[in-house]
Amino acid sequence: MRRDWFEAVYRLAEGDAACVPWGDLAPHPLLVEWLAREERLSGLRALDVGCGLGDNAEALATAGAKVSAFDFVGAAIDWAKRRFPQSTVDYRAADLFALPTEWRGAFDLVHECYTLQALPETLLGKAAQALAFAVAPGGRLLVIARAREEGEEFRGPPWPLTRKQIEALATGGLTLASLEEGAARKDRPHWRAVFCRARG
Ligand SMILES: C[S@@+](CC[C@H](N)C(=O)[O-])C[C@H]1O[C@@H](n2cnc3c(N)ncnc32)[C@H](O)[C@@H]1O
Protein backbone atom coordinates (compact mmCIF):
# COMPACT_ATOMS: atom_id res chain seq x y z
CA MET A 1 0.00 0.00 0.00
CA ARG A 2 1.36 3.35 -0.92
CA ARG A 3 1.29 6.72 0.70
CA ASP A 4 -1.50 8.10 -1.53
CA TRP A 5 -3.80 5.26 -0.37
CA PHE A 6 -3.24 6.15 3.30
CA GLU A 7 -3.57 9.86 2.54
CA ALA A 8 -6.92 9.18 0.90
CA VAL A 9 -8.15 7.22 3.94
CA TYR A 10 -7.38 10.10 6.31
CA ARG A 11 -8.69 12.73 3.90
CA LEU A 12 -11.97 10.96 3.14
CA ALA A 13 -12.58 10.30 6.85
CA GLU A 14 -12.99 14.07 7.31
CA GLY A 15 -12.19 13.83 11.01
CA ASP A 16 -14.46 10.85 11.69
CA ALA A 17 -12.33 8.06 13.18
CA ALA A 18 -15.11 5.55 12.46
CA CYS A 19 -14.12 5.90 8.79
CA VAL A 20 -10.48 4.95 9.50
CA PRO A 21 -10.26 1.13 9.53
CA TRP A 22 -7.68 1.17 12.40
CA GLY A 23 -9.27 4.18 14.15
CA ASP A 24 -10.15 2.44 17.41
CA LEU A 25 -9.48 5.55 19.51
CA ALA A 26 -7.78 3.32 22.07
CA PRO A 27 -4.35 1.77 22.37
CA HIS A 28 -4.05 -1.79 21.11
CA PRO A 29 -5.01 -4.26 23.89
CA LEU A 30 -1.83 -6.28 23.30
CA LEU A 31 0.24 -3.15 23.86
CA VAL A 32 -1.74 -2.24 26.99
CA GLU A 33 -1.25 -5.76 28.37
CA TRP A 34 2.49 -5.67 27.58
CA LEU A 35 2.91 -2.26 29.21
CA ALA A 36 1.07 -3.44 32.33
CA ARG A 37 3.73 -6.07 33.00
CA GLU A 38 6.68 -3.90 31.95
CA GLU A 39 8.55 -2.14 34.72
CA ARG A 40 11.35 -0.60 32.72
CA LEU A 41 9.72 2.18 30.68
CA SER A 42 10.16 5.16 32.96
CA GLY A 43 12.48 7.67 31.33
CA LEU A 44 13.19 5.44 28.32
CA ARG A 45 13.14 6.84 24.78
CA ALA A 46 10.41 5.21 22.70
CA LEU A 47 9.46 5.50 19.04
CA ASP A 48 5.98 4.68 17.72
CA VAL A 49 6.10 3.75 14.03
CA GLY A 50 3.18 4.61 11.73
CA CYS A 51 1.41 6.18 14.70
CA GLY A 52 -1.88 6.95 12.97
CA LEU A 53 -4.25 8.71 15.38
CA GLY A 54 -1.78 8.50 18.27
CA ASP A 55 -3.38 6.18 20.85
CA ASN A 56 -0.42 3.79 21.09
CA ALA A 57 2.08 6.65 21.34
CA GLU A 58 0.03 8.17 24.15
CA ALA A 59 -0.07 4.82 25.98
CA LEU A 60 3.73 4.62 25.78
CA ALA A 61 3.98 8.16 27.16
CA THR A 62 1.53 7.38 29.97
CA ALA A 63 3.77 4.42 30.84
CA GLY A 64 6.60 6.88 31.43
CA ALA A 65 8.53 6.81 28.17
CA LYS A 66 9.80 9.88 26.36
CA VAL A 67 7.99 9.28 23.08
CA SER A 68 8.55 10.27 19.47
CA ALA A 69 5.90 9.14 17.01
CA PHE A 70 5.75 9.41 13.26
CA ASP A 71 3.56 8.72 10.29
CA PHE A 72 4.16 9.52 6.64
CA VAL A 73 0.70 11.06 6.32
CA GLY A 74 0.80 14.64 7.57
CA ALA A 75 -2.97 14.64 8.10
CA ALA A 76 -2.63 11.75 10.57
CA ILE A 77 0.01 13.67 12.52
CA ASP A 78 -2.20 16.80 12.59
CA TRP A 79 -5.15 14.68 13.71
CA ALA A 80 -3.14 13.06 16.55
CA LYS A 81 -1.94 16.47 17.70
CA ARG A 82 -5.51 17.80 17.71
CA ARG A 83 -6.71 14.83 19.73
CA PHE A 84 -3.96 15.17 22.34
CA PRO A 85 -3.21 18.91 22.65
CA GLN A 86 -1.47 18.49 26.03
CA SER A 87 0.61 15.56 24.85
CA THR A 88 4.28 15.15 25.68
CA VAL A 89 4.70 13.03 22.53
CA ASP A 90 6.85 14.50 19.77
CA TYR A 91 4.64 13.84 16.73
CA ARG A 92 6.14 14.35 13.31
CA ALA A 93 5.74 13.39 9.68
CA ALA A 94 8.42 10.92 8.54
CA ASP A 95 8.78 7.92 6.27
CA LEU A 96 9.88 4.58 7.73
CA PHE A 97 12.05 4.15 4.63
CA ALA A 98 13.86 7.47 5.10
CA LEU A 99 14.21 7.92 8.84
CA PRO A 100 16.04 11.00 10.14
CA THR A 101 19.72 10.21 10.66
CA GLU A 102 19.53 11.39 14.27
CA TRP A 103 17.22 8.45 14.98
CA ARG A 104 20.00 5.94 14.34
CA GLY A 105 20.26 3.82 17.49
CA ALA A 106 18.33 6.50 19.38
CA PHE A 107 15.48 4.54 21.01
CA ASP A 108 15.34 2.12 23.90
CA LEU A 109 11.99 0.88 22.61
CA VAL A 110 10.74 0.94 19.02
CA HIS A 111 7.07 -0.03 18.78
CA GLU A 112 5.23 -0.91 15.63
CA CYS A 113 1.58 -2.01 15.40
CA TYR A 114 -0.17 -2.90 12.11
CA THR A 115 2.22 -0.99 9.82
CA LEU A 116 4.28 -4.01 8.69
CA GLN A 117 1.12 -5.92 7.82
CA ALA A 118 0.04 -3.02 5.62
CA LEU A 119 3.17 -3.36 3.49
CA PRO A 120 3.60 -5.57 0.43
CA GLU A 121 5.72 -8.61 1.26
CA THR A 122 8.52 -7.33 -0.96
CA LEU A 123 9.07 -4.38 1.41
CA LEU A 124 9.25 -6.36 4.66
CA GLY A 125 13.03 -6.86 4.54
CA LYS A 126 13.66 -3.16 4.00
CA ALA A 127 11.16 -2.29 6.73
CA ALA A 128 12.91 -4.67 9.14
CA GLN A 129 16.22 -2.91 8.48
CA ALA A 130 14.59 0.47 9.07
CA LEU A 131 13.08 -0.65 12.38
CA ALA A 132 16.42 -2.09 13.54
CA PHE A 133 18.16 1.16 12.56
CA ALA A 134 16.34 3.06 15.31
CA VAL A 135 16.98 0.58 18.17
CA ALA A 136 19.66 1.65 20.66
CA PRO A 137 22.29 -0.72 22.08
CA GLY A 138 20.45 -2.63 24.81
CA GLY A 139 17.13 -1.54 23.28
CA ARG A 140 14.11 -3.46 22.07
CA LEU A 141 11.70 -3.64 19.15
CA LEU A 142 8.09 -4.57 19.95
CA VAL A 143 5.93 -5.72 17.02
CA ILE A 144 2.16 -6.35 17.11
CA ALA A 145 0.57 -7.81 13.99
CA ARG A 146 -2.19 -10.09 12.85
CA ALA A 147 -1.04 -13.69 12.34
CA ARG A 148 -1.41 -16.03 9.37
CA GLU A 149 -0.56 -19.70 8.93
CA GLU A 150 2.22 -20.59 6.52
CA GLY A 151 0.64 -21.11 3.09
CA GLU A 152 -2.72 -19.60 4.16
CA GLU A 153 -4.14 -17.52 1.34
CA PHE A 154 -5.14 -14.04 2.45
CA ARG A 155 -6.66 -11.34 0.36
CA GLY A 156 -5.17 -8.14 1.76
CA PRO A 157 -4.56 -5.48 2.62
CA PRO A 158 -3.81 -5.96 5.40
CA TRP A 159 -1.60 -9.02 4.95
CA PRO A 160 -1.29 -10.84 8.31
CA LEU A 161 2.24 -12.10 8.92
CA THR A 162 3.49 -15.67 9.10
CA ARG A 163 5.80 -16.91 11.86
CA LYS A 164 8.65 -16.93 9.34
CA GLN A 165 8.00 -13.32 8.41
CA ILE A 166 8.04 -12.32 12.08
CA GLU A 167 11.22 -14.29 12.74
CA ALA A 168 12.86 -12.60 9.75
CA LEU A 169 12.58 -9.26 11.57
CA ALA A 170 15.58 -10.42 13.59
CA THR A 171 18.01 -8.49 11.42
CA GLY A 172 20.38 -5.52 11.64
CA GLY A 173 21.80 -6.76 14.95
CA LEU A 174 18.44 -7.65 16.57
CA THR A 175 17.66 -11.07 18.00
CA LEU A 176 14.24 -12.48 18.75
CA ALA A 177 13.66 -12.44 22.52
CA SER A 178 10.01 -13.57 22.69
CA LEU A 179 7.21 -14.47 20.32
CA GLU A 180 3.66 -14.89 21.59
CA GLU A 181 0.83 -16.04 19.38
CA GLY A 182 -2.90 -16.16 19.69
CA ALA A 183 -3.35 -13.38 22.17
CA ALA A 184 -6.38 -11.09 22.12
CA ARG A 185 -8.70 -9.73 19.47
CA LYS A 186 -11.82 -11.22 18.05
CA ASP A 187 -10.86 -11.02 14.39
CA ARG A 188 -7.93 -13.47 14.19
CA PRO A 189 -4.80 -14.50 16.11
CA HIS A 190 -2.06 -11.96 16.61
CA TRP A 191 1.70 -11.95 17.09
CA ARG A 192 3.41 -10.01 19.80
CA ALA A 193 7.14 -10.20 19.26
CA VAL A 194 10.04 -8.60 21.10
CA PHE A 195 13.51 -8.27 19.58
CA CYS A 196 16.64 -7.11 21.44
CA ARG A 197 19.90 -5.48 20.51
CA ALA A 198 22.86 -6.41 22.68
CA ARG A 199 24.50 -3.64 24.69
CA GLY A 200 27.38 -2.07 22.75
C1 LIG B 1 -2.75 0.24 9.60
S1 LIG B 1 -2.31 1.82 10.13
C2 LIG B 1 -1.92 1.56 11.84
C3 LIG B 1 -1.84 2.84 12.63
C4 LIG B 1 -1.44 2.66 14.10
N1 LIG B 1 -0.12 2.07 14.23
C5 LIG B 1 -2.45 1.85 14.83
O1 LIG B 1 -2.13 0.73 15.26
O2 LIG B 1 -3.59 2.34 14.99
C6 LIG B 1 -0.71 2.02 9.40
C7 LIG B 1 -0.16 3.43 9.55
O3 LIG B 1 1.18 3.45 9.08
C8 LIG B 1 1.37 4.57 8.25
N2 LIG B 1 2.43 4.20 7.32
C9 LIG B 1 2.39 3.28 6.32
N3 LIG B 1 3.56 3.22 5.69
C10 LIG B 1 4.38 4.11 6.31
C11 LIG B 1 5.72 4.51 6.10
N4 LIG B 1 6.46 4.01 5.11
N5 LIG B 1 6.25 5.45 6.92
C12 LIG B 1 5.50 6.00 7.90
N6 LIG B 1 4.21 5.68 8.13
C13 LIG B 1 3.66 4.74 7.35
C14 LIG B 1 0.02 4.83 7.62
O4 LIG B 1 -0.13 6.17 7.20
C15 LIG B 1 -0.92 4.47 8.77
O5 LIG B 1 -1.20 5.57 9.59
Side-chain angles (χ1 to χ4, degrees), residues 6 10 22 50 52 56 70-73 94-97 113-115:
F6 284 105
Y10 288 112
W22 49 90
N56 293 330
F70 73 96
D71 201 289
F72 69 175
V73 177
D95 186 344
L96 176 62
F97 298 111
C113 175
Y114 288 179
T115 300

Side-chain angles (χ1 to χ4, degrees), residues 47-120:
L47 179 67
D48 189 36
V49 174
C51 63
L53 302 186
D55 297 275
N56 293 330
E58 295 297 323
L60 291 164
T62 300
K66 189 173 179 307
V67 182
S68 298
F70 73 96
D71 201 289
F72 69 175
V73 177
I77 294 299
D78 293 344
W79 194 337
K81 285 180 176 170
R82 274 198 309 279
R83 288 188 62 217
F84 303 105
Q86 310 298 332
S87 181
T88 59
V89 175
D90 174 19
Y91 287 105
R92 66 166 93 168
D95 186 344
L96 176 62
F97 298 111
L99 292 181
T101 51
E102 71 265 24
W103 283 0
R104 177 191 291 275
F107 296 95
D108 306 298
L109 178 67
V110 174
H111 167 257
E112 109 69 21
C113 175
Y114 288 179
T115 300
L116 289 175
Q117 65 173 39
L119 298 175

